[in-house]
Amino acid sequence: NAGVTQTPKFQVLKTGQSMTLQCAQDMNHNSMYWYRQDPGMGLRLIYYSASEGTTDKGEVPNGYNVSRLNKREFSLRLESAAPSQTSVYFCASSERQPRREFVNSPLHFGNGTRLTVT
Amino acid sequence: AQSVTQLDSHVSVSEGTPVLLRCNYSSSYSPSLFWYVQHPNKGLQLLLKYTSAATLVKGINGFEAEFKKSETSFHLTKPSAHMSDAAEYFCVTAHYGGSQGNLIFGKGTKLSVKP
């Protein structure tokens, strides 16, 4: 009963380096999301995938790319890391079908990846 | 546009005393509202949700929230705090604009519980 699994848990990068954050869910959910959490800012949506094969920008997509590899996996890539990308990154999934109500499709979150860019 | 405002960034209570975490919402139509909790070094977990079926919503771990349209509020309460309630709490609403819509998170309220 793993739910949403994120790897790695921690990462330190130098400015300009690239990396991919991995996320997998085993609940057969349609929708997957990447958020970043910064102190005093709540969670902000980076990208989401409403269903397999589709991805859309969220509130703060600049500097990131995503891939919905299959129904289970949704990865987030930083091509050239910057100190402003120091944050905690959360992946989430939900059953939600496109254009359906959120109220019956709560988000299930992973435990996060703590990224520091120096 | 839909939004939520959490009125306190930090609330401190003693164990056994009531908890009140305040949230006001802004919405041009009947909102979807949620409370999520985040324990240290963990992801967020759904506490409760407002479905418009009832204004008083019961969640997990003894938490409740009351939807008050006249006050545009959705405050989270618990009669008696437990040490394990120490966490960060997020009030969340849904925005249905664009092709899909998404969740909008408040900035969070950190709850401390003193023994």
Side-chain angles (χ1 to χ4, degrees):
Chain A
N1 192 17
V4 179
T5 303
Q6 291 183 236
T7 55
K9 288 186 170 57
F10 301 93
Q11 184 71 49
V12 178
L13 292 178
K14 294 189 189 318
T15 298
Q17 287 185 317
S18 62
M19 79 160 295
T20 300
L21 280 65
Q22 306 287 354
C23 175
Q25 51 92 6
D26 61 3
M27 295 172 283
N28 201 36
H29 283 168
N30 294 299
S31 299
M32 296 185 75
Y33 310 80
W34 276 106
Y35 288 89
R36 60 177 288 171
Q37 182 180 28
D38 302 292
M41 300 288 286
L43 271 72
R44 292 180 292 169
L45 183 64
I46 304 171
Y47 271 94
Y48 65 100
S49 171
S51 59
E52 187 178 356
T54 69
T55 61
D56 284 286
K57 293 178 181 179
E59 183 185 355
V60 288
N62 290 346
Y64 306 94
N65 285 301
V66 290
S67 296
R68 182 77 182 265
L69 304 168
N70 47 55
K71 192 169 186 180
R72 289 187 64 246
E73 298 172 287
F74 188 40
S75 62
L76 178 73
R77 183 161 179 82
L78 286 70
E79 290 291 352
S80 178
S84 61
Q85 294 177 305
T86 293
S87 188
V88 182
Y89 291 85
F90 286 98
C91 178
S93 70
S94 74
E95 286 184 6
R96 183 177 182 244
Q97 299 283 346
R99 294 179 296 281
R100 293 284 182 86
E101 297 287 325
F102 277 103
V103 70
N104 293 316
S105 300
L107 266 60
H108 296 256
F109 284 84
N111 285 339
T113 295
R114 192 172 295 272
L115 175 66
T116 302
V117 183
T118 61
Chain B
Q2 283 61 248
S3 66
V4 288
T5 302
Q6 293 184 244
L7 301 173
D8 306 291
S9 58
H10 192 196
V11 170
S12 181
V13 301
S14 297
E15 192 174 20
T17 65
V19 175
L20 171 63
L21 305 182
R22 299 182 295 165
C23 173
N24 286 351
Y25 69 88
S26 171
S27 176
S28 54
Y29 47 76
S30 182
S32 298
L33 293 164
F34 312 83
W35 277 98
Y36 278 80
V37 60
Q38 183 183 27
H39 288 97
N41 300 313
K42 297 290 187 185
L44 282 72
Q45 179 187 15
L46 180 67
L47 259 186
L48 51 80
K49 59 185 181 182
Y50 169 65
T51 64
S52 76
T55 56
L56 183 61
V57 182
K58 293 187 186 302
I60 60 173
N61 300 333
F63 283 93
E64 293 183 345
E66 187 171 7
F67 174 75
K68 289 188 177 180
K69 188 175 180 180
S70 60
E71 299 177 9
T72 61
S73 69
F74 190 58
H75 300 337
L76 182 70
T77 61
K78 183 173 181 179
S80 176
H82 192 272
M83 295 297 291
S84 61
D85 295 328
E88 190 157 20
Y89 293 79
F90 293 91
C91 183
V92 183
T93 190
H95 169 66
Y96 291 103
S99 61
Q100 301 295 344
N102 281 296
L103 294 179
I104 309 295
F105 285 78
K107 294 190 184 333
T109 298
K110 191 160 289 189
L111 176 66
S112 300
V113 182
K114 298 174 287 188

